[in-house]
Amino acid sequence: MKIGLLARIEAKPEYADKVEALLGEALELARQEDRTLVWFAFRLDANTFGVFDTFADEEGRTAHLEGRIAAALMEAAPTMLSAAPDIRPVDLLAVKLP
């Protein structure tokens, strides 16, 4: 696990519950991605959500960005989000897992 993605997702207030449900349902899609090593969806406040995931290599990260979860977010963006998701690549410096 060397690299990851950190996404910030800002829902329109009237769609926050739907964005929460979309991210909950995305867990099954993440489980189907062999190259996605760790995947978290979280809520920061009433309308702000995030996703953090990790990959062993750039190919895995690229495959994820071109996958079904990213497609679902981009499809939802015009209706349910205040802006396009802010997705940033990250380099992992240290990791602790169970």
Side-chain angles (χ1 to χ4, degrees):
M1 219 178 316
K2 296 185 178 194
I3 59 176
L5 290 168
L6 180 62
R8 184 180 174 103
I9 302 158
E10 194 71 35
K12 292 178 182 174
E14 65 272 25
Y15 289 102
D17 291 342
K18 289 187 178 187
V19 171
E20 179 181 0
L22 175 81
L23 291 173
E25 293 164 5
L27 175 59
E28 186 53 40
L29 296 175
R31 287 180 174 147
Q32 295 171 20
E33 295 182 354
D34 293 337
R35 300 180 94 172
T36 299
L37 303 178
V38 176
W39 188 88
F40 296 92
F42 54 91
R43 186 176 213 152
L44 293 167
D45 61 38
N47 302 320
T48 309
F49 300 85
V51 174
F52 174 71
D53 33 27
T54 67
F55 314 90
D57 53 36
E58 191 59 48
E59 290 79 16
R61 181 160 59 186
T62 300
H64 179 72
L65 286 170
E66 295 172 353
R68 293 171 58 196
I69 297 171
L73 274 175
M74 293 308 170
E75 183 179 318
T79 304
M80 296 194 287
L81 305 184
S82 333
D86 178 14
I87 302 171
R88 297 177 186 231
V90 298
D91 293 326
L92 302 178
L93 303 178
V95 176
K96 179 192 179 284
L97 295 172

